[in-house]
Amino acid sequence: MNLRAVGTIYHFELARAWRTLLQSLVSPVISTSLYFVVFGAAIGSRIQEVEGVSYGAFIVPGLIMLMLLTQSVSNASFGIFFPKFTGTIYEVLSAPVSYLEIVLGYVGAAATKSLILGLIILVTASFFVPLRIDHPFWMLLFLALTALTFSLLGFIIGIWAEGFEKLQLVPLLIITPLTFLGGSFYSIDMLPPVWQTVTLFNPVVYLVSGFRWSFYGISDVSVGASLLMILVFLSLCLALVGWIFKTGYNIKP
Amino acid sequence: MSHDIADATATDTRPAARAHTLQATPSVIAVQGLTKRYASGFEALKRIDLDIQRGEIFALLGPNGAGKTTLISIICGLVNASDGQVRVNGHDIVTDYRAAREQIGLVPQELTSDAFATVWNTVSFSRGLFGKRADSAHIERVLRSLSLWDKRRNKMITLSGGMKRRVLIAKALAHEPQILFLDEPTAGVDVELRRDMWDVVRQLRDQGVTVILTTHYIEEAEEMADRIGVINDGEIVLVEEKAALMRQLGRKRLRLDLQTPLAAIPETLAHYPLSLADDGNVLVYTYAASANEYSTPASISALLNDIEAAGVHFKDLHTEQSSLEEIFVNLVRKDA
């Protein structure tokens, strides 16, 4: 295992985040803060408690998930798309580095960034609403697994995309709608019965539900189902990444 | 960039001696039956066989689209081969890719770089990628040898094209490779920088690095290479030691149009490499083009004196020379 290469890619990618600190960290924090002001304070004050939790506090796990998902995908997709776009990928491909090591470097860095971001948003949230975390270990586990899974998805998108349009397409058309409809801002119980069933096909529902459970002990679906769902999704992404490198799809003709 | 005279003379006298040692050493890169077919059905390489000797400078000549870059890309791991095998110091590039790639440095044709990284960081990144321990002394040596030391804190985006090209070379040398691939190293580079690059390549060769460069400048191959390979339309058309090639190709012919045709070459001229052409109307003398290497400048005047003495009179004379470029164009045309 060429651990030094993994570390080199990892540090280079994180250094890129520091160079672009404003986009990487500051802007998601600002936009999340705006959600809290609008949904938590302005609208939330008129909404009754959800299962004993104030609405402002109720949406915190969902908001963190929303940011985690979109940031993981955009960080990781850009991280691998950019060298492909500029041509600097030649160096990684010609180095004595295995595919697993390439993925570890790029996806690891992207997941780390979103994990840090998630924690920063959590701290930011604590300034706006009273928070409590019932299961800190599970909270961190859900955070880490989600960051990893969606960074892998981002990596896949970055390889698949041939231009900047495609790079934006999946986050815009799939990730954001799924997250908004994934129970970030509401409990599934609030939906009409038909939509409650439809919503169960949305993988994000399981993530948000499990993550929220780690905070307040309340969930839409069972924690086991949440964990299973994220592991299934993780395996799917891993399989897809494996296939990409096996075939050289869009990366090695 | 410094390049002392002792170095230059050492390189000039080298090829002949080198030729002997090269034959004894096993090839550092062995390409066998290498084929590349793209999904479109286009065959970029057609069963290429090629051996690169340790420590030589090998120039791969060929027109645009001949397959030069595809060949390099497969050896370096950027492109998958459809068929065939490549071994680098005995290591298969697919099954034993780590050992193979560790020894190779690649300078690509395109000036690609991470625009916002500094020279120092991007060169250090390359070293880390190859799994080598950080070594600032080595990076400093590389940067100094390429006149990049003053630019080490500059971001890539602020550098000129020529400087970027140097950084790409520095990146390729960061992990101390045994084999260096230079894909069109002097394309779009001004004359001065081109000479600098040639010096750097020679210095590397003197340190024992095997250098494979692709070019479509004949001058470059003539100036640099120990051996020359010509590739066209996905096939290796010719591989030859440059000295031998120059001997073969660098022949000059002196043609004398005679006043009266000769039936045979007179006895007194028999020791010259002479022949008759055009029904005895033309006397042809073949000799080496480069006087100081293959013949003495005195021989032509001696020949002319002897012809005069033999009572042969000519009304006109002219010389012809086939250059590397001419042969190259002929090779490539014949194939096309």
Side-chain angles (χ1 to χ4, degrees):
Chain A
M1 186 95 164
N2 188 348
L3 282 179
R4 219 171 251 137
V6 176
T8 302
I9 297 174
Y10 183 83
H11 285 298
F12 197 81
E13 280 298 296
L14 282 187
R16 199 165 55 79
W18 286 116
R19 281 206 305 262
T20 54
L21 195 65
L22 209 65
Q23 297 100 294
S24 298
L25 294 179
V26 178
S27 70
V29 169
I30 290 178
S31 58
T32 314
S33 302
L34 289 176
Y35 276 116
F36 282 125
V37 172
V38 175
F39 286 98
I43 299 175
S45 60
R46 290 158 195 247
I47 296 179
Q48 60 190 31
E49 290 187 342
V50 186
E51 296 180 47
V53 181
S54 78
Y55 186 69
F58 177 83
I59 64 168
V60 170
L63 267 181
I64 295 176
M65 271 294 163
L66 177 73
M67 282 299 147
L68 204 64
L69 258 52
T70 48
Q71 286 300 313
S72 296
V73 168
S74 79
N75 274 335
S77 61
F78 194 75
I80 189 68
F81 174 79
F82 195 63
K84 227 175 51 143
F85 177 73
T86 59
T88 52
I89 189 84
Y90 85 86
E91 202 177 12
V92 178
L93 292 177
S94 68
V97 182
S98 72
Y99 298 139
L100 176 68
E101 288 154 6
I102 296 177
V103 173
L104 278 179
Y106 280 105
V107 172
T112 305
K113 269 186 267 181
S114 5
L115 203 60
I116 293 172
L117 191 73
L119 293 175
I120 289 176
I121 292 171
L122 186 63
V123 172
T124 313
S126 68
F127 293 121
F128 291 92
V129 289
L131 279 181
R132 84 167 198 263
I133 302 171
D134 285 357
H135 311 282
F137 168 77
W138 288 97
M139 192 274 283
L140 285 174
L141 185 73
F142 270 114
L143 209 59
L145 278 178
T146 308
L148 180 66
T149 305
F150 281 80
S151 294
L152 273 171
L153 180 65
F155 186 84
I156 294 165
I157 293 167
I159 291 206
W160 165 76
E162 279 133 10
F164 282 98
E165 302 80 18
K166 271 190 170 180
L167 201 61
Q168 307 285 357
L169 205 65
V170 174
L172 206 67
L173 288 185
I174 299 175
I175 308 291
T176 312
L178 282 186
T179 331
F180 270 88
L181 301 174
S184 294
F185 298 108
Y186 53 85
S187 169
I188 291 181
D189 299 343
M190 299 175 182
L191 294 173
V194 179
W195 284 102
Q196 286 190 27
T197 314
V198 171
T199 242
L200 290 178
F201 290 97
N202 179 354
V204 178
V205 165
Y206 297 84
L207 301 182
V208 172
S209 168
F211 195 49
R212 189 176 286 136
W213 168 83
S214 70
F215 279 76
Y216 308 120
I218 51 171
S219 62
D220 292 326
V221 292
S222 79
V223 184
S226 290
L227 202 60
L228 186 71
M229 198 65 182
I230 191 163
L231 289 177
V232 165
F233 205 55
L234 180 66
S235 316
L236 267 177
C237 288
L238 282 173
L240 211 54
V241 167
W243 175 83
I244 282 174
F245 279 120
K246 201 171 164 214
T247 57
Y249 170 76
N250 253 2
I251 193 166
K252 193 171 169 183
Chain B
M1 214 167 299
S2 70
H3 178 56
D4 53 71
I5 295 156
D7 224 22
T9 46
T11 355
D12 286 342
T13 55
R14 198 163 287 240
R18 178 167 290 275
H20 291 289
T21 53
L22 289 182
Q23 277 160 3
T25 53
S27 50
V28 69
I29 294 178
V31 178
Q32 283 174 345
L34 196 65
T35 301
K36 177 63 189 176
R37 265 181 309 275
Y38 285 101
S40 61
F42 172 68
E43 229 177 14
L45 296 177
K46 300 164 186 166
R47 298 196 60 78
I48 296 251
D49 294 314
L50 183 65
D51 282 289
I52 307 290
Q53 311 295 328
R54 188 182 311 280
E56 72 174 338
I57 298 182
F58 186 88
L60 195 58
L61 273 168
N64 290 327
K68 300 188 293 286
T69 301
T70 305
L71 177 57
I72 286 191
S73 299
I74 291 177
I75 299 175
C76 294
L78 308 185
V79 171
N80 290 317
S82 309
D83 208 352
Q85 196 186 41
V86 180
R87 288 178 170 278
V88 178
N89 262 334
H91 303 287
D92 187 275
I93 57 159
V94 179
T95 56
D96 198 6
Y97 66 94
R98 279 192 210 264
R101 289 186 200 165
E102 261 165 17
Q103 310 179 33
I104 297 179
L106 166 66
V107 182
Q109 193 173 336
E110 305 288 332
L111 288 176
T112 57
S113 62
D114 193 329
F116 301 103
T118 63
V119 170
W120 181 271
N121 286 347
T122 192
V123 175
S124 305
F125 173 79
S126 304
R127 188 175 169 87
L129 210 51
F130 278 75
K132 290 264 183 154
R133 189 183 298 278
D135 181 352
S136 49
H138 175 69
I139 305 281
E140 178 174 345
R141 262 196 311 279
V142 169
L143 291 183
R144 283 192 191 279
S145 77
L146 288 156
S147 307
L148 284 169
W149 182 244
D150 297 339
K151 305 274 182 194
R152 64 189 181 281
R153 293 196 186 92
N154 287 39
K155 285 185 176 168
M156 291 297 291
I157 199 169
T158 64
L159 300 182
S160 68
M163 281 294 170
K164 278 188 189 139
R165 177 78 63 191
R166 286 177 197 216
V167 175
L168 291 187
I169 297 180
K171 280 167 78 68
L173 295 177
H175 67 280
E176 302 160 75
Q178 288 305 301
I179 303 161
L180 183 67
F181 280 94
L182 293 155
D183 197 359
E184 304 269 351
T186 54
V189 159
D190 65 34
V191 178
E192 195 189 348
L193 184 56
R194 189 175 302 174
R195 300 231 159 256
D196 281 354
M197 297 242 181
W198 290 349
D199 288 345
V200 170
V201 170
R202 282 195 199 93
Q203 281 164 21
L204 286 170
R205 196 265 307 269
D206 291 347
Q207 290 160 23
V209 176
T210 307
V211 180
I212 296 104
L213 60 92
T214 71
T215 182
H216 49 242
Y217 296 120
I218 308 290
E219 188 199 3
E220 194 157 74
E222 234 174 298
E223 173 84 25
M224 303 290 306
D226 297 318
R227 285 200 308 151
I228 291 172
V230 177
I231 184 170
N232 187 45
D233 203 17
E235 287 173 297
I236 298 274
V237 193
L238 168 143
V239 176
E240 189 68 86
E241 294 214 1
K242 184 185 71 180
L245 199 61
M246 295 309 290
R247 260 197 304 278
Q248 264 175 36
L249 310 179
R251 296 264 166 198
K252 280 189 107 166
R253 280 185 300 277
L254 170 66
R255 291 171 68 93
L256 301 165
D257 294 342
L258 304 177
Q259 283 180 351
T260 48
L262 284 176
I265 293 164
E267 284 279 307
T268 50
L269 300 175
H271 61 289
Y272 290 106
L274 290 170
S275 60
L276 287 168
D278 289 354
D279 299 327
N281 280 303
V282 178
L283 189 63
V284 182
Y285 171 56
T286 311
Y287 63 104
S290 172
N292 48 4
E293 241 182 286
Y294 310 117
S295 71
T296 56
S299 65
I300 289 180
S301 50
L303 170 72
L304 293 180
N305 285 337
D306 288 351
I307 287 175
E308 191 72 25
V312 177
H313 301 289
F314 55 91
K315 51 189 178 188
D316 196 8
L317 84 173
H318 61 271
T319 62
E320 303 168 337
Q321 181 183 10
S322 51
S323 66
L324 183 53
E325 179 140 10
E326 194 184 318
I327 295 298
F328 171 67
V329 168
N330 282 340
L331 273 173
V332 166
R333 246 192 220 132
K334 193 172 62 192
D335 260 56

